[in-house]
């Protein structure tokens, strides 16, 4: 083969290599753009398939995001280092926590502390809260306001705070959102964590199964706080399951990524 042909082949190969984005530690998971926010969506025992796939599809349809399903085994193996944010979806907090196991919790906490983002929705929000049986799992300076978790499923009204409108969009007044037994929280007082910022308050409630009436109204619905160099965002209700609020999940992820 003439030298000129070989030179053309080598030049073409070099151009391909040089045009490949190098923003990801793993070439197998290189995002479409170096500006994309890389999101790991937890896929494991305890995670609701409906919630998981809703978040996954919303993010992969949005510009500037790349979502990938990750297993507990991958997290325990250190896979979170290849991502900017991890989402723990609705389902059962105990199931998701047990699926991670102690090694997974260590990996998760280290990921956030080193600057990663955490978005917990419903069950994922429960996982971030203070639990006296697992003090090492504390991710945000909040605790349960009351213990009646099975309040019921409903479409409730929430309202953004000034900080919420700045972070999520200038949506004035109350608007509707899907709710399925998410946590009712209040501030805690742990010196190693800073106070959380409330992004939205519940303005209506559901109180089935002898849950205390009035406890949910005007309590935080969406909030975030610092954890080391990272950020933890929690949402008691389900924006990803609310057709009119598909825009909110990418905004929450961006907030968690601190971008």
């Amino acid at each position: 083969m003439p030298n000129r042909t070989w030179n053309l082949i080598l030049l073409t190969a070099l151009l391909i290599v040089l045009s490949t984005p190098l923003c990801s530690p793993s070439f197998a998971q290189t995002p479409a753009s170096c500006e994309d926010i890389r999101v790991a969506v937890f896929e494991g025992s305890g995670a609701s398939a409906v919630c998981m796939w809703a978040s996954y599809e919303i993010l992969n349809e949005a510009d500037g995001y790349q979502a990938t399903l990750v297993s507990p085994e991958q997290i325990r193996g250190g896979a979170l280092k290849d991502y900017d944010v991890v989402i723990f979806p609705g389902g059962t907090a105990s199931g998701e926590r047990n699926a991670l196991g102690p090694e997974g919790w260590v990996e998760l906490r280290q990921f956030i502390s080193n600057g990663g983002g955490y978005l917990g929705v419903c069950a994922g929000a429960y996982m971030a809260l203070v639990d006296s049986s697992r003090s090492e799992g504390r991710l945000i300076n909040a605790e349960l306001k009351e213990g009646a978790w099975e309040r019921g499923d409903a479409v409730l009204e929430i309202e953004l705070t000034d900080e919420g409108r700045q972070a999520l969009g200038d949506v004035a007044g109350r608007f509707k959102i899907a709710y399925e037994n998410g946590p009712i929280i209040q501030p805690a007082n742990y010196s190693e964590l800073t106070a959380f910022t409330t992004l939205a308050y519940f303005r209506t409630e559901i109180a089935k199964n002898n849950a205390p009436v009035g406890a949910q109204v005007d309590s935080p619905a969406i909030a975030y706080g610092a954890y080391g160099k990272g950020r933890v965002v929690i949402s008691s209700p389900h924006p990803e399951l609310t057709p009119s609020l598909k825009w909110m999940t990418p905004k929450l992820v961006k907030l968690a990524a601190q971008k």
Side-chain angles (χ1 to χ4, degrees), residues 99-235:
L100 272 183
E103 292 180 4
W105 268 108
V106 171
E107 289 290 335
L108 176 62
R109 293 171 60 214
Q110 184 175 6
F111 164 72
I112 305 170
S113 183
N114 287 341
Y118 176 100
L119 172 58
V121 180
C122 197
Y126 274 111
M127 283 182 51
L129 301 179
V130 171
D131 183 333
S132 60
S133 67
R134 54 175 188 92
S135 60
E136 77 284 356
R138 186 182 304 132
L139 300 179
I140 191 169
N141 208 351
E143 61 189 4
L144 293 177
K145 187 175 181 179
E146 48 87 9
W149 70 269
E150 199 173 4
R151 302 185 69 88
D153 303 347
V155 175
L156 300 180
E157 291 183 352
I158 65 172
E159 185 174 10
L160 298 182
T161 62
D162 291 341
E163 294 84 356
R165 285 191 291 274
Q166 183 176 358
L168 303 178
D170 191 14
V171 181
R174 302 179 178 189
F175 56 93
K176 298 182 183 299
I177 193 168
Y179 171 83
E180 298 181 7
N181 297 310
I184 310 305
I185 69 169
Q186 63 185 6
N189 188 28
Y190 291 89
S191 58
E192 70 272 24
L193 293 170
T194 59
F196 67 77
T197 298
T198 300
L199 299 174
Y201 286 103
F202 285 111
R203 295 308 188 199
T204 58
E205 72 173 358
I206 183 170
K208 294 183 177 179
N209 303 310
N210 298 315
V213 175
Q216 187 171 11
V217 174
D218 297 334
S219 67
I222 305 173
Y224 78 90
Y227 186 89
K229 296 179 181 178
R231 180 174 287 173
V232 173
V233 181
I234 62 172
S235 177

Side-chain angles (χ1 to χ4, degrees), residues 1-16:
M1 183 178 292
N3 288 336
R4 183 175 180 182
T5 302
W6 275 114
N7 290 340
L8 181 60
I9 292 173
L10 292 173
L11 178 60
T12 303
L14 179 61
L15 289 173
I16 291 173

